[in-house]
Amino acid sequence: MEFVIITGMSGAGKSAALNALEDVGFFCVDNMPPQLIPKFVQISEDGAEIRKIAFGCDVRSRELFAFLKDAVFELKQAWGANTKVLFINAADEIIKRRYKETRRKHPLYDLVGGSIDAALHSERELLMPISEIADYTLDTGQLSTAALKEAVLGLVMDKISDSMQVKLMSFGFKHGFPADADLLFDVRFLANPFYVPELKSMTGLSREVRDFVMADRYAVALKDKLSDLFAFLLPRYIAEGKSQLVIAFGCTGGKHRSVTFAELFHAQVSAHGYRTSVFHRDIAK
């Protein structure tokens, strides 16, 4: 199992960091009382479903926050390097500006007499023990949401390409457009196996159909051009913070040409280290 504890200054971007981890498959629990973290891990350990967990812990837990350091030591003793503490920070002036823009109240605001400066000072004192044992410290003051996501995932993931799921889809135009497609390519201009009697009842999952489609020189040219396009686009989408990209290929019925290209690029994109899946929407229609 793998654990990430996200803590730090209120208003510095802890929620955005948790959202980034949730997008890549972490089970995220925000505002968890520190004493309950080891117990939650013990419960999760008994089931095989949850393998990656991220906890958000901060001064909202008030006096319970003092137990976070003990909880971290307990996890590190049991799981070693699989437990990471990420401390999110930003300058006071930036945090004060963010609170003013969102019109939200710092969690310690009322406890220190209604002063944002006093609240920030008190919070930094409370956070000092945990900041000293953090594995990573991230200053979000000059980071956009997309840049923050990339920075967080870069700390906890072996490959930044794992931060985006690429879904390859085939569909038939006569059954309607896929509403969730980010990129859509019409392959109806290619030679159609439907008009070859021995191929008509097959699909693009058959080698015979794939060989027929790719025997078309225009299919080869399209493959080469799309390979260059995806090599350029996918890193840009990751840098922008996109967590899922749906690439759809459409032919008339969704059985032959579109399936061939969805399968082809599913294999190719996966071979380049991206998390991929493939879905043939209309293959059984």
Side-chain angles (χ1 to χ4, degrees), residues 67-121:
F67 295 95
L68 180 57
K69 191 172 182 178
D70 293 335
V72 169
F73 282 142
E74 187 172 341
L75 276 188
K76 282 186 174 289
Q77 186 175 13
W79 295 93
N82 283 353
T83 299
K84 299 181 178 69
V85 178
L86 172 57
F87 189 89
I88 306 293
N89 199 9
D92 285 0
E93 291 306 314
I94 291 174
I95 293 176
K96 286 194 288 185
R97 186 183 72 235
R98 290 174 180 174
Y99 270 108
K100 186 175 181 179
E101 291 171 349
T102 61
R103 298 184 179 180
R104 298 199 65 191
K105 188 165 59 174
H106 190 282
L108 301 182
Y109 185 82
D110 291 332
L111 293 178
V112 295
S115 166
I116 182 63
D117 291 303
L120 293 175
H121 177 74

Side-chain angles (χ1 to χ4, degrees), residues 32-281:
M32 169 71 83
Q35 299 99 316
L36 295 182
I37 290 178
K39 293 181 173 60
F40 188 94
V41 170
Q42 184 178 1
I43 294 172
S44 303
E45 192 178 1
D46 294 335
E49 294 298 322
I50 303 177
R51 308 307 302 166
K52 299 190 295 183
I53 306 174
F55 299 101
C57 299
D58 54 44
V59 295
R60 287 175 294 173
S61 57
R62 304 294 173 87
E63 63 273 8
L64 299 179
F65 184 75
F67 295 95
L68 180 57
K69 191 172 182 178
D70 293 335
V72 169
F73 282 142
E74 187 172 341
L75 276 188
K76 282 186 174 289
Q77 186 175 13
W79 295 93
N82 283 353
T83 299
K84 299 181 178 69
V85 178
L86 172 57
F87 189 89
I88 306 293
N89 199 9
D92 285 0
E93 291 306 314
I94 291 174
I95 293 176
K96 286 194 288 185
R97 186 183 72 235
R98 290 174 180 174
Y99 270 108
K100 186 175 181 179
E101 291 171 349
T102 61
R103 298 184 179 180
R104 298 199 65 191
K105 188 165 59 174
H106 190 282
L108 301 182
Y109 185 82
D110 291 332
L111 293 178
V112 295
S115 166
I116 182 63
D117 291 303
L120 293 175
H121 177 74
S122 178
E123 183 177 26
R124 291 198 183 277
E125 288 188 336
L126 291 171
L127 290 172
M128 187 174 296
I130 196 66
S131 68
E132 292 174 346
I133 65 167
D135 297 284
Y136 308 108
T137 298
L138 183 61
D139 190 323
T140 66
Q142 304 302 321
L143 297 182
S144 65
T145 301
L148 188 155
K149 178 178 180 178
E150 182 177 6
V152 170
L153 298 182
L155 294 174
V156 302
M157 302 185 73
D158 294 330
K159 296 186 301 179
I160 193 62
S161 59
D162 286 341
S163 65
M164 184 174 71
Q165 172 81 23
V166 182
K167 178 179 177 181
L168 287 305
M169 174 193 293
S170 68
F171 73 96
F173 278 96
K174 71 179 184 180
H175 302 297
F177 288 84
D180 57 342
D182 297 295
L183 301 173
L184 190 152
F185 300 97
D186 184 350
V187 296
R188 287 178 295 183
F189 67 93
L190 300 176
N192 193 351
F194 180 83
Y195 297 109
V196 179
E198 60 268 28
L199 300 180
K200 180 177 180 179
S201 62
M202 298 181 182
T203 71
L205 298 177
S206 303
R207 179 177 295 276
E208 295 88 343
V209 170
R210 293 201 301 269
D211 289 345
F212 176 88
V213 172
M214 298 312 297
D216 185 338
R217 64 188 179 95
Y218 293 113
V220 176
L222 178 63
K223 170 184 171 295
D224 292 341
K225 292 180 183 298
L226 290 181
S227 296
D228 289 340
L229 178 64
F230 295 156
F232 170 76
L233 286 179
L234 297 187
R236 305 285 82 72
Y237 282 123
I238 290 174
E240 185 59 28
K242 196 168 181 62
S243 58
Q244 177 176 273
L245 181 72
V246 180
I247 303 173
F249 297 93
C251 61
T252 304
K255 289 178 177 289
H256 300 105
R257 295 163 291 180
S258 61
V259 173
T260 295
F261 266 79
E263 286 289 328
L264 188 157
F265 279 101
H266 175 231
Q268 185 180 104
V269 173
S270 178
H272 282 83
Y274 295 93
R275 292 190 302 132
T276 63
S277 63
V278 64
F279 172 58
H280 304 298
R281 194 192 70 178

